[in-house]
Every structure is written in structure tokens, then in C-alpha cells.
Amino acid sequence: MRLKSMKRRTLQKETIKQIFQQLDQPLGIEQILCKGREKVPALNRATVYRNIRLYVEEGLLLKINHPALGTLYERAGRGHHHHFYCRICDQVFELPGCALKETNVTPKGFFAESHEVFVSGVCSSCSTRDFSSITNTDHENPPA
Amino acid sequence: MRLKSMKRRTLQKETIKQIFQQLDQPLGIEQILCKGREKVPALNRATVYRNIRLYVEEGLLLKINHPALGTLYERAGRGHHHHFYCRICDQVFELPGCALKETNVTPKGFFAESHEVFVSGVCSSCSTRDFSSITNTDHENPPA
DNA sequence: GTTAGTGCAAACGGTTTGCAACGTA
DNA sequence: TACGTTGCAAACCGTTTGCACTAAC
């Protein structure tokens, strides 16, 4: 009788893991699926969900609920950071460091344990590449 | 031929609007539905979704995608603020003011246009009321 | 009376799950 | 061989939509 179930190494699993090891950017399921299919063409969406979930439970990945893009996943253990969403290229970048002091935003009696910051705007590539496209957008959430 | 469709005033609509006028707190669909049914017992979920959507388009409400609670709605026009999520009572509070300078978190070349901050921890009511409950995170009806 | 708004049920999109076939150990 | 993993399809959950009925104007 086995007390502990053994993990098996499959191409699908390794492929998904590698995608995140090669990239310091949060990805959505569709992006993971696309990149994964470059190596495993028959890769199934359910398999991606299952393995992502596994990696999150193992602590290898982190799940992010992004205000504009929905659920994203990123490699864990890279220290506290925030996220920048570029509305032109629809990509999310990691912002190193943290300029937010929890005590500055928390009223007396409230105990802050963690926080998340989502910045959005235009990334450096998009702002230098083509300014005309910056006005042509169809946002849901206009700037506050 | 009518050029402009006319809005009609219904009990359902008014009820939903009043819920937000009486409360400075973001609410989820289920909460809106519950509170609404106190006044309109037959209130339907689809009706709530339709009217909420309408109010968001009119600019009366704002849609929030909360990392822990999913989609929430709050009254618009109350100025820039952040949100505090209490993991004990599962409620979201508005944090007045903003202690985040976008220039402090944005690398050169990136243009920040807006940001959102979600803090989580324990609210003042929950931290003073009963410390033993802090480990028991399954509360339905928290204090107002 | 006209037609916007409602309730209901079915449709929808993202995510999870049951199951038979597959493939790793 | 044994059983963890996969692909597929169906189930699931939050949200939207089509439709007949209701009710505001």
C-alpha cells in the first residue's frame, strides 16, 4: 500500500514549467496554452489548468487576479513587486520594488497583512514606437 | 419615430440604487441581490445584473475586480481611494486618500495613467471583537 | 396602447471534473 | 504491470441574452 502518490515527469508538465522559467512576466491561460503547443501541439486546455493548479499548490507559481486581464500566473519567489499593465500591447510587466507603506494607507485599528498594486498606462516600448495608436483605444476602465 | 428611448422608473431599479446610496462599501452581486430582496422579494439575478450594468454605463457605479472577492460594485464619484479587505468578516472597506506616487513605482519610459491598490488584513471591528475568531474565517454576517 | 423593464430559462465563457486511454516508472 | 497523467466531453459557476409577460408612461 502506497502512502504517498508519486509524481511523474511528462512532456506537458515540463513544457509548462519551462515557459515560466524562460520569462519574467505573468501569463494568462491562453498564452500558456499557445506557447505550450509550440512544443506539444496536442496540449489540452484542461491539462494546462491542472498543471498550473498543481504548480500553484506546490508554490512554484502565483495566481494573480488582474483588474483588466483576469486570471494570470507568474513564477513565485521573486520577491514582493507590483504590476504594470500596458493598454496598448496588453502585456503585464513586473515593477521592481514597492513604494507603498501599508501604515500610510491603513486607518487606526486596521491591521494590514498584505497588499497588491496594479498600475496601468503605456509601457516604454509602446510609448516610443507609435504615438498615434495611444489615442486609439477602447478601454473599459478609464483612468481614475 | 422616437429618436431617444425613455427610461422608466421601476421599484427594482430604485431599490438597487438606494442600496448604494445608503452604503459606502463595495458590494458583490449576491449581496446586492440579498439586500434588494428585502424590498422586492421576487427580484431576479438577471435584473440585478442588467441594472448594475446600466448604472456602470451611466457612471453612477464603478466596477471593481477584487483579487479575493471577484467582481464588486461601488458608488462612483467619491474620489480616488483604495480598498481594504478583511479576511475575517469578508468585507471590503474604502481607504480614504492615496499614499502611492505613481512616479515612485514606474520605471523610466513607462507612463502611468491610473492605479489600484488592494490591502488585506483584519479590520478594526474584527480585531477588537474577538481574537479567537481570527483563525475561523467562515463568517457570513459580519458587523456593520 | 406602446414599449421599456422584468422573470425565467437557455446560452455563454472561463474553469473544473469524470472517465477511458495513454505512458512513465 | 500499476497508476499518475492526458485528452475529451460534460459539468460547473458567474454573467449575458432571447423571449413572453408585466407595468410605467
Side-chain angles (χ1 to χ4, degrees), chain A residues 8-9 29 45-46 49-50 53 71:
Chain A
R8 286 176 191 178
R9 166 174 291 241
I29 286 291
R45 182 173 276 102
Y49 275 113
R50 273 189 283 235
R53 184 187 229 263
T71 310

Side-chain angles (χ1 to χ4, degrees), chain B residues 8-9 29 45-46 49-50 53 71:
Chain B
R8 287 177 190 176
R9 168 173 289 243
I29 286 291
R45 182 173 274 101
Y49 274 114
R50 273 188 282 234
R53 186 187 228 261
T71 310

Side-chain angles (χ1 to χ4, degrees), chain B:
Chain B
M1 172 192 180
R2 288 235 89 95
L3 287 176
K4 174 179 154 188
S5 68
M6 206 174 30
K7 293 271 162 72
R8 287 177 190 176
R9 168 173 289 243
T10 67
L11 185 55
Q12 290 86 333
K13 256 184 189 144
E14 293 305 306
T15 300
I16 292 171
K17 190 190 284 188
Q18 277 177 30
I19 290 171
F20 285 97
Q21 284 170 341
Q22 291 166 2
L23 197 75
D24 287 343
Q25 233 180 54
L27 298 176
I29 286 291
E30 211 58 36
Q31 294 172 292
I32 302 167
L33 191 59
C34 283
K35 283 178 188 289
R37 280 180 174 162
E38 292 171 9
K39 228 176 199 170
V40 188
L43 182 61
N44 191 273
R45 182 173 274 101
T47 302
V48 174
Y49 274 114
R50 273 188 282 234
N51 284 316
I52 290 291
R53 186 187 228 261
L54 234 157
Y55 286 144
V56 170
E57 284 167 9
E58 282 178 9
L60 215 135
L61 294 182
L62 286 179
K63 190 179 189 170
I64 305 165
N65 191 354
H66 191 277
L69 300 178
T71 310
L72 302 177
Y73 300 89
E74 70 179 0
R75 205 164 80 226
R78 316 191 62 251
H80 179 65
H81 59 268
H82 301 321
H83 296 101
F84 185 98
Y85 164 61
C86 174
R87 64 173 169 81
I88 306 295
C89 64
D90 245 44
Q91 281 195 97
V92 177
F93 303 88
E94 296 191 359
L95 295 180
C98 175
L100 184 78
K101 292 200 185 60
E102 286 174 351
T103 52
N104 284 358
V105 296
T106 313
K108 281 149 279 300
F110 285 64
F111 294 102
E113 293 169 346
S114 66
H115 69 262
E116 292 176 54
V117 176
F118 298 99
V119 186
S120 62
V122 181
C123 77
S124 60
S125 316
C126 288
S127 61
T128 56
R129 199 183 340 101
D130 180 7
F131 272 94
S132 67
S133 68
I134 291 182
T135 51
N136 172 19
T137 58
D138 190 25
H139 295 220
E140 292 281 290
N141 293 319

Side-chain angles (χ1 to χ4, degrees), chain A residues 114-125:
Chain A
S114 65
H115 68 262
E116 292 177 54
V117 176
F118 298 99
V119 186
S120 62
V122 182
C123 77
S124 60
S125 316

